[in-house]
């Protein structure tokens, strides 16, 4: 299951060297809703290898949205050691997201 990422738990989640994948989404966003099951599948597939989570841009203060310059949802940010290593904007196919995960593990 994808981890819920918030402004409060973000620092703790990225503290290690493990790959962290954050899906920035909103409930009103149709492409975000279509991407949601893919994110859940990837979270299960990469459990123990990467942290895959979701950040609801509507419910949070927006600290992370500002930090990562999120201008559209869905946007997926890939972090390694707390540093952004890749970013995908839009509802990308599962194969593209999976390829980005594999490239950054």
């Amino acid at each position: 299951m994808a981890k819920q990422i918030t402004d409060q738990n973000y620092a703790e989640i990225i503290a290690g060297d493990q790959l962290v994948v954050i899906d920035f989404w909103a409930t009103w966003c149709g492409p975000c809703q279509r991407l949601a099951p893919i994110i859940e599948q990837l979270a299960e597939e990469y459990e123990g290898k990467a942290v895959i989570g979701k950040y609801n841009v509507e419910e949070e203060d927006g600290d992370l949205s500002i930090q990562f310059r999120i201008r559209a949802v869905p946007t997926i940010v890939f972090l390694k050691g707390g540093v952004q290593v890749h970013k995908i904007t839009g509802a990308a196919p599962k194969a593209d997201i999976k390829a980005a995960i594999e490239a950054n593990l």
Side-chain angles (χ1 to χ4, degrees):
M1 179 174 208
K3 186 165 189 67
Q4 182 178 357
I5 297 175
T6 65
D7 292 326
Q8 289 73 37
N9 71 4
Y10 164 75
E12 172 188 327
I13 291 170
I14 67 157
D17 288 333
Q18 197 169 34
L19 177 66
V20 177
V21 180
I22 305 173
D23 172 27
F24 288 81
W25 71 287
T27 56
W28 50 262
C29 168
C32 297
Q33 300 306 320
R34 289 190 297 278
L35 187 61
I38 293 170
I39 296 298
E40 291 297 332
Q41 291 167 8
L42 291 169
E44 289 179 23
E45 286 179 39
Y46 288 95
E47 188 172 350
K49 297 177 187 172
V51 175
I52 299 179
K54 298 174 70 63
Y55 179 89
N56 187 327
V57 298
E58 293 175 302
E59 292 180 359
E60 297 301 317
D61 294 334
D63 294 346
L64 289 185
S65 297
I66 293 166
Q67 180 178 343
F68 293 109
R69 298 182 178 144
I70 304 302
R71 306 219 187 280
V73 289
T75 294
I76 303 169
V77 174
F78 300 75
L79 305 163
K80 187 106 182 213
V83 177
Q84 181 177 319
V85 293
H86 193 71
K87 186 178 198 177
I88 298 173
T89 302
K94 182 179 179 180
D96 291 358
I97 301 167
K98 192 169 184 170
I101 292 170
E102 289 290 334
N104 290 291
L105 277 179

